[in-house]
Amino acid sequence: MSETVDTRQEARKKGEEGSDGASPSDPSPSDPSPSDASPSGGRGLRGHPWLTLITLSIGAMMVSLDGTVITVAQPAMQSGLRAGLTEIQWVTNGYLLAVAVLLITAGKLGDRFGHRKMFLAGVVGFTASSVAIGLSANITWVIGLRVLQGVFGALMQPATLGLMRTAFPADKLTMPIAIRSAVIAASTAAGPIVGGLLVEHAGWQWVFFANVPLGALALGLGLLVLRDVRTKGAARPFDIAGVHLLTAALASLVWGLTQAPAHGWTDPRTLGFLAAALGLGCCFVRRESRADEPLVPLRMFHSSQFSAGVVLMIVMSFIMFGAPFILVFYLQNVLHLSPMESGIRVLGLTGMMILGAPLVAIWMSRVGPRLPALLGMAVTAAAMTALSQLGPRPATVHLVLCFFLLGLGFSPVMVSATKIVLSNAPMELSGVAGGIQQTAMQVGGSLGTAALGAIVGARVDSLLPGRLAEAGVALPSARADAASQAVSVGLVPRGVGESADASALARISELTFLDGMEYALLAATAVAVLGALTALLVRGRGPAEPDDETPPARTAETHAR
């Protein structure tokens, strides 16, 4: 027995040396299990699970904060850099596109070369590009650097999930995932507030300079705390052809979805990008099914649990990004609330996502992810139905309760879906799993924004001309498209005609937008019901059973033979 203990201790020391200093091209030594990285294992700072979580949360906060903080800074940037509307849109779109198309590849890079290296490289690059953006005096440089910033953000995101997967045992992943989700929700919600304060009191450049202290803290902690735990077989050849095909497919898909609201779903440009995405996606699947070392092993999707988790993430993101995209027009253009007043109305949504995540983790540790995901989607469907019935003058309490209910539904789905994806992926593919989870979130969000926006636009197009005609308002054919676009975002169209009565036109515009919003949010309700049906496929578990069933293909070879 003592000989066995000595052998394991010796193997553990070798594993530490391999995880911190071994070249990726060298055969991976046996590594310690994630649970051995705890303080009780005598490891100190390096590999400490909770210090690892803090470090990774700071990195996730940087990327999430930067996705929303820029929104408030755009008018000041447009004025200061003398940029056009299209150029300013590219400041956001370039960043989001770079993040979306590179997440899976970045996850594979982490599996191949080490998630610690990818995370630290991402932090350094993200911080340096932030400084460079703040120092730029030309919009072209800003756009290019924002794309570069997105590349480094893509390196960080899957690495946070990959390092978390190896820092905690599988049966203790739920609370770390919940805390990370709460941090992302908090930083996303705080973005517009922080951005507003910085722009008002310091200038738009400080929106980017604010990343410097966060980046320095993440880098310092990362060098001291983070530790890679490798599994045999992780360091394998890279599928370059698969990378090119996947990048092109995702770029075409995300670009087509983001441009659909502006150009229309039947526009040749939209259809061309979506058709290209479909064709490239089919080529990618064909390539992966035949490649010796695929970028995304298709066997991962043979697990109904893993596939259900990915679908749940797409469904949740569809609603989480698509519904607020419509509701922000309702709050500011129909109810005429300021951005700050709108933020106060949705505090229930933000608060429940922040406070609810740890509570969901405790609940999931007892009942497993199936019931929280199922009830979360059911509550989300109820919230969407309630929001679809909002009128032009809702009671404040009614509005706040609707958003509170929505946050109550989002929180368990986000935590459950992330846990299902990570727990049902092989340890050596934890980075790819993290990239798939993040990509599902990006694609679901782009699809939700495009689809729900298109539903509102289509409904407005079908109702507005007839209602204006019934009111005796002449609508010049040259102004028809512009009028529909204005009403689709809750505004009163201009230049309709001299015969138009201002109050009647405002009332028609308001009611027509509300009809479009109702259809869009009811469509989101149907998507939430689909999510609830998907949750039924998730394996249930009682309190006494293990947290997840680990097949042999997923078990990390972490003990010496």
Side-chain angles (χ1 to χ4, degrees), residues 1-208:
M1 180 68 178
S2 60
E3 183 179 352
T4 303
V5 173
D6 291 340
T7 302
R8 289 188 176 180
Q9 290 176 348
E10 183 177 340
R12 188 176 300 166
K13 291 179 181 178
K14 291 180 181 179
E16 293 169 21
E17 294 172 0
S19 63
D20 290 331
S23 168
S25 60
D26 297 334
S28 296
S30 295
D31 297 312
S33 67
S35 58
D36 290 337
S38 65
S40 60
R43 297 195 49 80
L45 291 177
R46 181 60 62 86
H48 190 291
W50 294 103
L51 290 178
T52 296
L53 177 61
I54 291 172
T55 305
L56 300 177
S57 295
I58 294 172
M61 181 191 300
M62 290 176 64
V63 180
S64 301
L65 192 64
D66 228 63
T68 56
V69 73
I70 189 65
T71 306
V72 195
Q74 285 181 346
M77 291 179 67
Q78 184 174 9
S79 175
L81 298 173
R82 298 180 180 178
L85 178 61
T86 302
E87 292 172 317
I88 285 296
Q89 287 176 333
W90 263 105
V91 172
T92 298
N93 289 342
Y95 174 82
L96 295 177
L97 193 63
V99 171
V101 303
L102 292 175
L103 284 166
I104 294 177
T105 301
K108 185 67 173 183
L109 285 170
D111 290 334
R112 174 68 174 82
F113 299 108
H115 296 299
R116 181 175 184 267
K117 291 178 182 178
M118 292 301 106
F119 180 82
L120 294 177
V123 169
V124 172
F126 196 92
T127 306
S129 58
S130 297
V131 173
I133 293 170
L135 296 175
S136 298
N138 182 286
I139 186 62
T140 303
W141 275 101
V142 170
I143 292 171
L145 289 167
R146 276 286 281 175
V147 172
L148 185 63
Q149 191 183 43
V151 171
F152 288 114
L155 287 180
M156 293 167 62
Q157 288 287 59
T160 62
L161 291 172
L163 287 166
M164 190 185 301
R165 177 70 176 88
T166 55
F168 290 87
D171 61 343
K172 291 188 171 72
L173 262 179
T174 307
M175 184 59 77
I177 289 173
I179 292 173
R180 178 183 178 275
S181 300
V183 169
I184 291 175
S187 53
T188 301
I193 299 172
V194 173
L197 292 173
L198 290 173
V199 171
E200 183 177 349
H201 297 289
W204 67 264
Q205 294 87 346
W206 284 91
V207 167
F208 299 99

Side-chain angles (χ1 to χ4, degrees), residues 293-345:
E293 298 294 342
L295 175 66
V296 180
L298 300 182
R299 63 183 172 85
M300 297 173 70
F301 292 94
H302 293 168
S303 165
S304 61
Q305 305 304 296
F306 181 87
S307 300
V310 173
V311 173
L312 280 171
M313 186 59 64
I314 293 174
V315 167
M316 184 209 67
S317 301
F318 181 102
I319 302 169
M320 190 169 72
F321 288 92
F325 175 75
I326 304 300
L327 289 167
V328 71
F329 297 131
Y330 171 72
L331 293 172
Q332 296 188 24
N333 294 342
V334 175
L335 301 187
H336 305 292
L337 300 176
S338 68
M340 182 63 71
E341 291 171 330
S342 299
I344 293 173
R345 297 301 192 281

Side-chain angles (χ1 to χ4, degrees), residues 489-520:
V489 294
L491 296 174
V492 178
R494 296 180 180 180
V496 172
E498 296 181 359
S499 61
D501 176 74
S503 60
L505 183 59
R507 186 170 60 256
I508 291 171
S509 302
E510 186 178 80
L511 293 177
T512 304
F513 171 79
L514 289 174
D515 279 336
M517 185 180 81
E518 179 183 5
Y519 267 56

